[in-house]
Amino acid sequence: MKHFILFMLVTATYFRLQEACVKNRVVLHNELGPGRLLEYHCYSNRDDLGIKNMAFNATPYVIAFHDEIPNLTTWNCLLRQGPNNKFVFDVQMYKAGPRLIPRCGQIRIWTAKLDGIYFARHLDTPPVLALHWIEK
């Protein structure tokens, strides 16, 4: 009986938190330069959003989602740019840590530039160089 009560308490807490939980977001920007396209293929452990292209300074691409419990939500994007898409990087854009209570309102901002891929966790902080392009 104790286990059933604990199960019901955890289940009720989970669903109540999901209702009040603001979605997490991954934001992708293209700042490669005029005329330069960013090709991206974003996917999670449950969804594949397909291959898309983003023009320089276009509206940022946003993936909004809730963490999945008990599975660890992970979002990756394969980024490509340059002549014949010869510069690539498969970036882990978001990974939920092991937890019973989902994270809410998390943001991960990724910006593609010529010298590499920049990252920030907050809208009010400038992104910093996190990854260098790999030439294939």
Side-chain angles (χ1 to χ4, degrees):
M1 186 65 171
K2 288 183 198 177
H3 290 36
F4 179 71
I5 292 171
L6 179 62
F7 172 76
M8 292 304 293
L9 180 62
V10 169
T11 302
T13 302
Y14 171 74
F15 285 109
R16 187 168 287 150
L17 284 171
Q18 282 292 81
E19 290 175 15
C21 187
V22 175
K23 287 185 176 183
N24 300 317
R25 291 176 291 156
V26 168
V27 181
L28 180 60
H29 296 268
N30 176 0
E31 293 183 10
L32 292 168
R36 295 182 177 266
L37 286 178
L38 174 66
E39 180 183 285
Y40 57 98
H41 177 196
C42 297
Y43 55 94
S44 74
N45 39 345
R46 296 191 86 178
D47 296 308
D48 186 331
L49 303 179
I51 298 172
K52 300 178 183 184
N53 289 294
M54 182 187 307
F56 171 66
N57 274 346
T59 302
Y61 184 70
V62 178
I63 304 168
F65 57 93
H66 288 293
D67 279 354
E68 298 173 21
I69 305 296
N71 300 326
L72 298 181
T73 304
T74 303
W75 278 97
N76 286 54
C77 292
L78 177 60
L79 306 179
R80 295 182 173 130
Q81 60 97 2
N84 298 317
N85 285 331
K86 76 176 190 175
F87 298 104
V88 301
F89 211 103
D90 195 358
V91 181
Q92 185 176 69
M93 306 293 242
Y94 178 88
K95 181 178 181 182
R99 55 185 56 236
L100 292 176
I101 300 173
R103 290 183 180 179
C104 301
Q106 297 290 306
I107 188 164
R108 304 292 186 267
I109 304 158
W110 295 91
T111 305
K113 296 185 180 187
L114 282 179
D115 63 337
I117 303 163
Y118 288 69
F119 173 73
R121 285 184 185 259
H122 305 285
L123 289 171
D124 58 352
T125 56
V128 296
L129 181 61
L131 304 165
H132 292 280
W133 294 105
I134 297 171
E135 189 171 352
K136 65 174 185 174

